């Protein structure tokens, strides 16, 4: 007994050493991934901008299980990403580390599964090692958003290993645990449904009677679960973003694509060439070699099954590969790509088993195992080195899409690279990429939308709106394009049109949270402060960590004279994000209103260091410089704001005011004229141009401008006062008297209006009334009335 024990002990040690070696070599081939960043290929949807990422912090587990995300029902995958978020928020390292750990564990499980099935450590080791280091798996491991792949496979392989133990030893604890881990796998990714038929394959491998009632009954729970989650997956997919724009092919052509895709997976598993993130469908007619590939793979698999029908290892490998890849061969389309490297993650086990088994059989002569082991070891080494290099492709968005464009160009690759250029401020390069994407696919609505965003970033909002219109022509309910078009209309001061777009977005998607913040800004610009406050309240309710919403709400509270609330909101915004531009901008605006010009300039300077391309900061710093009579600096800032946005009406208005006050009447009139083009509904433009027209004695022009200003803002007291003066100079004393009185109704502290009405009353023979008005003006510190009182009111 002791001899047998020692032999078993030695064998177990060898198994442990082989498993450890598998883990070490797998880890070494993937070490660069730990330095990789996030990419823009769904990582924002799953991590950096995901509504699910922080739900654990809020104690909300229900949403994981009751809501679909990105066309998938995979609560465990979302929870696992959320757990990484708890570790270090948006540092990519924990996410990559978890993916790599799961992949290494999956390699262990492949070893244990193959060893349990075959009892051959040699085959188990090389199958697991090929699984561990093959570059086709880089997508599943190095892509953070593909957590669901490594996670569902982890539970899948545990369930399969346990079931194999049950089928071999009839241990019902293994059966029960297998069912539990199957549920876990289904909750990680819908692709796990293929486990149910794979269990039948295990029964076949062990020589069980798959037609017996007992064996059939054992499968019923698994197949019921597979059916339930299969229906869930199809339903979730129908609600996802990838259901639009899928090429419409008949069943035969779908089968051709399936055959071609299957052949490509096999060829890429043999040698990993052109591994890209997106494989587009061919343009135009299907190439002849697709049909050839379809025939070749159909005949090959048929030949393998017939010729090796007595060899259970070959049959297991072939059928395992087919069962676990057939659902993603696009016979039933599930996306815009005809294949994806990640789809080969689990099926590759069957292929690697066949490959290792083939080497064993071909080199079955004396010392053949040594030669076969050497060949496989060299193959693994080459693949591992290749993988070490290929993982760098997933380093960041630019490297990912540069590689894709260099190997298999597609509209998706150009669009996504353009998004990254747009993000980094390289707008012209972004526009080139979006146009290239549209050349390849004129119906790519996302490319039109992103083109609009890039144009808007360059201040070309009219061109941006044209791009958004084209996106909406393709898909009238495309909320991103509606939202962005609303933003461009808002920048063009077409507030009501912007509000229409924002309202439509919320009708289509009430959870489109950023709309509340931007709609609030537009409502604020229209003076609808309570409605704006309501929108900012909603934005904060839905997202309590929205620094911009707090900052914007602070400005509304200032306008509503809630100074304490405004200060609290601004401090909250800065505590959430010390680098949020809007917080410093709004703080500077508030300080400027409180005449704390030094503090205002400090805030504006800080905001500019964070975002040197924000036109509003330059405008408001210019206004502050104007207040302290640093006029050269003021005009420099106004001009900088106009350089950033040539349609920035407010900057033209303020620069016009400065030019008018420094004697540059021609320059002021030119700026006012441009301001009227860009902000035709702003009464201040007409009010200030009217003042300038006084100097040229163009009294009719003054009245025209002030009529327009009052029409736009019936509560514009200054406009009534100035119009009264123009009417008085034209001899319309009755009209002038009404205007002065209306100005005083609107602003009882308006010293100039009292003074001017006093002059008019005195000239009309009402000396007592005139003196009363001059005294009121003097009480309000309007010193110009003192001379009138001294001369006429003794």
């Amino acid at each position: 007994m002791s001899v047998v024990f020692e032999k078993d002990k030695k064998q177990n040690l060898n198994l442990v050493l082989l498993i450890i070696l598998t883990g070490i070599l797998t880890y070494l081939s993937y070490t660069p991934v730990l330095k990789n960043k996030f990419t823009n290929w769904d990582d924002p949807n799953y991590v950096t901008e995901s509504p699910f990422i922080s739900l654990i912090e809020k104690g909300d587990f229900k949403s994981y299980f009751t809501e679909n995300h990105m066309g998938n029902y995979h609560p465990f995958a979302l929870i696992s990403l959320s757990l990484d978020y708890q570790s270090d928020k948006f540092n990519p390292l924990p996410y990559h580390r978890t993916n790599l750990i799961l992949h290494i564990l999956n390699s262990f499980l492949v070893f244990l599964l193959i060893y349990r099935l075959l009892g051959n450590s040699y085959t188990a080791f090389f199958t697991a090692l090929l699984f561990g280091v093959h570059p086709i798996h880089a997508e599943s491991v190095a892509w953070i958003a593909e957590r669901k792949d490594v996670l569902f496979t982890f539970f899948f392989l545990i369930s399969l290993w346990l079931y194999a133990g049950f089928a071999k030893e009839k241990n019902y604890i293994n059966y029960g645990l297998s069912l539990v881990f199957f549920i876990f796998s289904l909750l990680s990714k819908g692709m796990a449904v293929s486990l149910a038929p794979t269990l039948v394959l295990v029964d076949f491998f062990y020589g069980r009677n798959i037609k017996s009632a007992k064996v059939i009954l054992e499968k019923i729970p698994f197949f019921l679960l597979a059916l339930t989650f299969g229906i869930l997956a199809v339903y979730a997919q129908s609600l996802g973003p990838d259901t639009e724009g899928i090429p419409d092919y008949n069943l035969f052509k779908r089968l051709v694509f399936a055959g071609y895709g299957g052949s490509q997976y096999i060829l890429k598993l043999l040698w990993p060439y052109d591994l890209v993130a997106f494989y587009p469908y061919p343009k135009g007619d299907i190439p002849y070699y697709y049909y050839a590939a379809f025939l070749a793979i159909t005949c090959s698999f048929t030949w393998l099954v017939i010729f090796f029908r007595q060899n259970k290892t070959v049959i297991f490998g072939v059928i395992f590969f087919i069962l676990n890849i057939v659902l993603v061969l696009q016979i039933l389309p599930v996306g815009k790509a005809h294949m994806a490297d990640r789809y080969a993650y689990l099926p590759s086990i069957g292929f690697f088993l066949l490959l290792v088994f083939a080497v064993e059989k071909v080199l079955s002569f004396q010392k053949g195992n040594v030669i076969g082991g050497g060949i496989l070891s060299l193959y693994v080494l080459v693949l591992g080195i290749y993988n070490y290099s290929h993982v760098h492709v997933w380093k960041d968005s630019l490297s990912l899409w540069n590689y894709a464009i260099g190997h298999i160009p597609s509209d998706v690759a150009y669009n996504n690279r353009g998004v990254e250029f747009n993000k980094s401020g390289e707008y012209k390069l972004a526009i080139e990429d979006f146009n290239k994407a549209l050349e390849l696919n004129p119906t790519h609505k996302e490319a039109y939308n992103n083109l609009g965003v890039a144009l808007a970033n360059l201040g070309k909002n009219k061109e941006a709106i044209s791009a958004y219109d084209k996106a909406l022509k393709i898909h009238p309910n495309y909320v991103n394009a509606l939202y962005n078009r609303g933003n461009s209309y808002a920048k063009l001061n077409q507030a009501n049109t912007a509000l229409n777009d924002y309202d439509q977005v919320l009708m289509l998607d009430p959870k489109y949270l950023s709309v509340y913040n931007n709609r609030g800004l537009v409502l604020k610009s229209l003076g609808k402060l309570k409605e704006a406050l309501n929108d900012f309240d909603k934005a904060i309710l839905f997202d309590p960590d929205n620094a911009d919403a707090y900052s914007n709400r602070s400005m509304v509270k200032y306008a509503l004279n809630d100074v304490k609330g405004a200060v609290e909101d601004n401090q909250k915004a800065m505590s959430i994000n010390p680098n949020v531009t809007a917080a410093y901008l709004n703080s500077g605006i508030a300080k400027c209103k409180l005449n704390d010009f030094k503090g205002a300039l400090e805030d504006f300077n800080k905001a500019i260091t964070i975002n040197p391309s924000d036109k509003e900061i330059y405008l408001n710093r210019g206004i502050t410089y104007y207040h302290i009579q640093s006029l050269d600096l003021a005009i420099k800032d106004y001009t900088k704001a106009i350089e950033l946005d040539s349609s920035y009406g407010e900057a033209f208005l303020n620069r016009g005011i400065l030019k008018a006050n420094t004697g540059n009447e021609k320059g002021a009139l030119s700026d006012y004229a441009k301001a009227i083009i860009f902000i035709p509904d702003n009464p201040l433009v007409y009010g200030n141009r009217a003042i300038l027209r006084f100097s040229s004695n163009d009294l009719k022009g003054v009245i025209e401008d002030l009529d327009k200003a009052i029409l736009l803002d019936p509560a514009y007291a200054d406009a009534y006062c100035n119009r009264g003066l123009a009417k008085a100079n034209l001899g319309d004393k009755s009209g002038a008297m009404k205007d002065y009185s209306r100005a005083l109704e609107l602003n009882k502290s308006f010293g100039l209006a009292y003074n001017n009405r006093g002059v008019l009353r005195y000239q009309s023979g009402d000396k007592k009334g005139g003196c009363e008005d001059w005294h009121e003006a003097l009480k309000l510190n309007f010193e110009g009335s003192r001379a009138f009182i001294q001369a006429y009111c003794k």
Side-chain angles (χ1 to χ4, degrees), residues 598-614:
K598 181 180 178 182
L601 288 173
E602 289 174 356
D603 282 342
F604 293 139
N605 290 336
K606 175 66 175 177
I608 285 172
T609 60
I610 298 170
N611 185 3
S613 301
D614 190 323

Side-chain angles (χ1 to χ4, degrees), residues 202-344:
V202 172
D203 287 334
F204 161 80
F205 187 83
Y206 280 126
R208 302 181 77 199
N209 182 4
I210 60 176
K211 296 180 181 179
S212 73
K214 180 176 180 297
V215 173
I216 292 172
L217 284 172
E218 291 168 359
K219 303 303 172 298
I220 289 176
F222 289 93
F223 276 92
L224 286 176
L225 284 167
L227 178 63
T228 301
F229 278 86
I231 293 170
L232 267 176
V234 171
Y235 175 71
Q237 187 72 34
S238 70
L239 301 176
D242 285 335
T243 55
E244 300 159 9
I246 298 174
D248 185 18
Y249 294 105
N250 60 37
L251 180 58
F252 174 70
K253 290 182 178 180
R254 285 280 167 201
L255 290 171
V256 171
F257 282 120
Y260 177 76
S263 70
Q264 286 296 295
Y265 288 124
I266 291 171
L267 292 174
K268 289 177 188 289
L269 285 167
L270 277 171
W271 182 248
Y273 63 94
D274 288 344
L275 301 177
V276 297
F278 186 83
Y279 297 93
Y281 281 91
K283 301 298 180 184
D285 294 334
I286 299 175
Y288 73 91
Y289 55 85
Y290 276 60
Y291 295 96
F294 168 69
L295 290 173
I297 195 169
T298 304
C299 293
S300 297
F301 278 131
T302 303
W303 176 79
L304 280 170
V305 171
I306 294 174
F307 191 80
F308 291 97
R309 60 186 178 276
Q310 300 301 323
N311 191 312
K312 290 186 176 180
T313 302
V314 173
I315 296 300
F316 183 89
V318 171
I319 302 302
F320 185 95
F321 179 82
I322 293 172
L323 286 177
N324 288 288
I325 206 164
V326 68
L327 291 177
V328 288
L329 287 177
Q330 305 306 311
I331 298 171
L332 294 174
V334 293
K336 299 173 185 177
H338 72 82
M339 61 178 291
D341 294 347
R342 61 189 177 275
Y343 294 154

